[in-house]
Amino acid sequence: MKITFKDEALSELYETGKTKDRKYKQLCKNKKLVDGYIRAVSIMYRTETTRELHEYSFLHYERLTHDPRSSIRIVNGKVERLLFTETEDGVEVELIEIDSTHYGNKK
């Protein structure tokens, strides 16, 4: 699948494992999240269509109901998600959502 990154910081994070962008600076300190992000994007590169993402149950792929985007989880058991828009020729990765209140998590 063809993947384009809407944010240069996400591309840099995938290629090098770190970024200087302050938006994802906190994320870079958590090696488990960075490794999960790299693994998730690598799986997306290996698949032909987004339907094949259902085969990887730990990603919890879903099309968002009130949003034109889709999401996958970065790390199984965590709430951090990778949001992307599906296009005719692939996907456009938009952002990493680090909202800890998602899915009813009230820590």
Side-chain angles (χ1 to χ4, degrees):
M1 176 174 1
K2 180 183 176 196
I3 298 176
T4 55
F5 294 93
K6 197 170 190 175
D7 190 352
E8 185 62 36
L10 291 173
S11 176
E12 183 182 2
L13 184 61
Y14 174 69
E15 293 168 3
T16 64
K18 53 189 159 193
T19 182
K20 292 182 172 101
D21 191 304
R22 56 178 260 246
K23 185 176 185 180
Y24 300 111
K25 194 169 186 135
Q26 195 66 25
L27 175 80
C28 291
K29 294 177 182 178
N30 189 335
K31 182 157 175 47
K32 191 173 185 178
L33 284 177
V34 172
D35 290 345
Y37 169 71
I38 292 170
R39 181 181 65 165
V41 173
S42 296
I43 289 171
M44 290 174 72
Y45 269 118
R46 288 194 305 260
T47 59
E48 292 294 318
T49 64
T50 53
R51 286 180 194 226
E52 292 178 34
L53 294 174
H54 284 292
E55 296 174 16
Y56 301 92
S57 61
F58 61 90
L59 290 177
H60 296 276
Y61 165 75
E62 65 178 334
R63 295 194 84 172
L64 303 177
T65 52
H66 301 292
D67 198 336
R69 298 180 291 187
S70 300
S71 75
I72 57 175
R73 285 215 189 141
I74 296 174
V75 178
N76 193 21
K78 300 281 187 181
V79 297
E80 291 79 15
R81 305 181 301 161
L82 180 64
L83 299 176
F84 56 92
T85 303
E86 298 177 31
T87 61
E88 277 92 40
D89 58 340
V91 297
E92 182 178 46
V93 176
E94 292 186 30
L95 67 113
I96 298 174
E97 185 177 78
I98 311 175
D99 181 11
S100 62
T101 61
H102 188 66
Y103 298 112
N105 239 0
K106 306 291 186 215
K107 290 183 179 180

